[in-house]
Amino acid sequence: MESVLSRYENQITLLSDYLEEFPETDEPVWILGRQHHLKAGGTGPSSDAGWGCMLRCGQMMLAQALICRHLGRDWQWEKHKKQPEEYHRILRCFLDRKDCCYSIHQMAQMGVGEGKSIGEWFGPNTVAQVLKKLALFDEWNSLAVYVSMDNTVVIEDIKKMCWCPPQSSSAAHGSTHLHRSALGRNKNTVGFCAGWKPLLLIIPLRLGINHINPVYIDAFKECFKMPQSLGALGGKPNNAYYFIGFLGNELIYLDPHTTQSFVDSEENGTVDDQSFHCQQAPHRMKIMNLDPSVALGFFCKEECDFDNWCSLVQKEILKQQSLRMFELVQKHPPHWPPFIPPTKPEVTTTGAELIESTDKLFELEEEFEILSV
């Protein structure tokens, strides 16, 4: 059945690629007795220009977390230098293909569940929720993604989520459920962990109403000094940037608003990575021009990193501020719903209902064999 479904999906992909070569038109296209509408043919947007900047910023923050996870915070990319295999595996997670775990396709599709149509602009909190869900399907990177709620980080909940109890091999591999999404096809897994699961902590914040409140500026800048910092997502209305640091009263940021061509992996699994790295110096903007809706990011590979982060927050942010940017509490608030660590949803299906019948599948195959002549 898996091979049959794979062949069926290949035919759908071929159809999408084939129709994308036609000019946009309201008129129907007729092929072998069947009518196709180019504007509603399932091909979707061919570019993320005008709507994908916050998704790209989310990818950048996550990519930085994965670099810290596998290569270390001190690792630096050097042009034309041979890179370790982990580096290329990280890049392959972000390729613009629907079968890559953190591709813009997967992020946009996951955003539908957050109330965002494909092609609609995301805010920082929506991107954080999307990354949290996608990470559940990524067993190789094995991240625990915690997105704070109501400006509150709960230490107890994070430690409950990050500590993985040992599991028997029968429990780890006993499931026979089949997940047909591309999210579940990562065959290069590391298995089930026993110990601390590396933490990606995202804190969505509202630092004012229409403009950032100056009382938050010092605490906001302090976050970039922390060794666990992954920067911040934010920008201006409908214009997202990835903020990585500051200089005086200016924020330093990376700008995703340069449309680039699609890059795929080579036959040997490597990726032409020139466009994945900064081709020019980072930009700067005055901190008071920042939109008040932001999301802070932090990465804690070990439990001691998280404990150190908590100490820094208490010392540098909470004790210094009369109006706190966010709260850090030890225990789960009693008036909140119980905290349940998120787990990957299982689909109890063989996938047979994805096609009407195998006869339908072979009709598609015959149709495309004629087209390819």
Side-chain angles (χ1 to χ4, degrees), residues 73-221:
R73 186 169 286 270
D74 294 331
W75 177 88
Q76 291 185 342
W77 176 76
E78 294 182 32
K79 193 174 183 179
H80 303 311
K81 180 180 178 181
K82 181 176 176 59
Q83 303 297 343
E85 171 59 23
E86 290 85 355
Y87 167 79
H88 291 287
R89 290 184 71 175
I90 292 172
L91 288 188
R92 291 196 293 269
C93 293
F94 297 94
L95 294 177
D96 288 341
R97 291 173 17 184
K98 62 184 179 181
D99 60 344
C100 295
C101 190
Y102 300 114
S103 69
I104 197 165
H105 304 71
Q106 297 291 2
M107 295 182 71
Q109 185 62 53
M110 192 64 78
V112 174
E114 299 296 321
K116 296 290 185 180
S117 302
I118 294 178
E120 186 176 353
W121 195 84
F122 284 32
N125 181 62
T126 304
V127 168
Q129 298 297 336
V130 163
L131 294 179
K132 175 183 175 180
K133 292 180 178 179
L134 288 176
L136 298 175
F137 298 89
D138 179 15
E139 296 179 7
W140 174 60
N141 291 302
S142 187
L143 289 182
V145 181
Y146 179 92
V147 181
S148 66
M149 186 174 69
D150 294 341
N151 293 359
T152 303
V153 176
V154 183
I155 296 174
E156 178 185 50
D157 293 347
I158 288 178
K159 295 210 170 187
K160 183 178 179 180
M161 180 176 65
C162 289
W163 271 108
C164 305
Q167 297 189 24
S168 65
S169 59
S170 59
H173 302 288
S175 174
T176 57
H177 297 307
L178 177 64
H179 192 284
R180 287 307 312 160
S181 167
L183 297 172
R185 294 181 192 154
N186 188 348
K187 292 182 172 58
N188 297 317
T189 62
V190 294
F192 288 78
C193 70
W196 177 267
K197 200 172 185 181
L199 170 67
L200 169 56
L201 169 59
I202 305 179
I203 309 176
L205 299 171
R206 185 79 187 182
L207 302 180
I209 301 177
N210 297 319
H211 303 280
I212 187 171
N213 190 329
V215 75
Y216 296 120
I217 289 180
D218 288 342
F220 186 68
K221 290 163 59 175

Side-chain angles (χ1 to χ4, degrees), residues 331-363:
K331 296 294 184 180
H332 186 85
H335 59 282
W336 282 14
F339 177 76
I340 302 175
T343 57
K344 182 174 72 173
E346 292 182 335
V347 180
T348 54
T349 175
T350 62
E353 67 273 18
L354 295 179
I355 55 176
E356 296 174 7
S357 68
T358 53
D359 291 339
K360 176 73 172 179
L361 170 64
F362 297 131
E363 288 174 11

Side-chain angles (χ1 to χ4, degrees), residues 237-304:
N238 299 324
N239 209 18
Y241 303 129
Y242 176 36
F243 296 95
I244 58 175
F246 71 93
L247 173 63
N249 288 320
E250 290 185 323
L251 294 172
I252 302 171
Y253 67 91
L254 304 181
D255 187 350
H257 295 90
T258 299
T259 303
Q260 303 186 85
S261 299
F262 164 78
V263 175
D264 206 349
S265 58
E266 307 290 342
E267 290 185 2
N268 61 1
T270 61
V271 176
D272 182 1
D273 59 358
Q274 298 297 310
S275 63
F276 284 79
H277 298 275
C278 298
Q279 304 299 313
Q280 57 185 0
H283 303 271
R284 301 195 310 272
M285 67 176 284
K286 294 186 180 300
I287 194 169
M288 286 304 297
N289 293 335
L290 177 69
D291 186 88
S293 180
V294 299
L296 299 171
F298 303 93
F299 176 74
C300 303
K301 186 173 183 178
E302 307 288 348
E303 184 178 19
C304 59

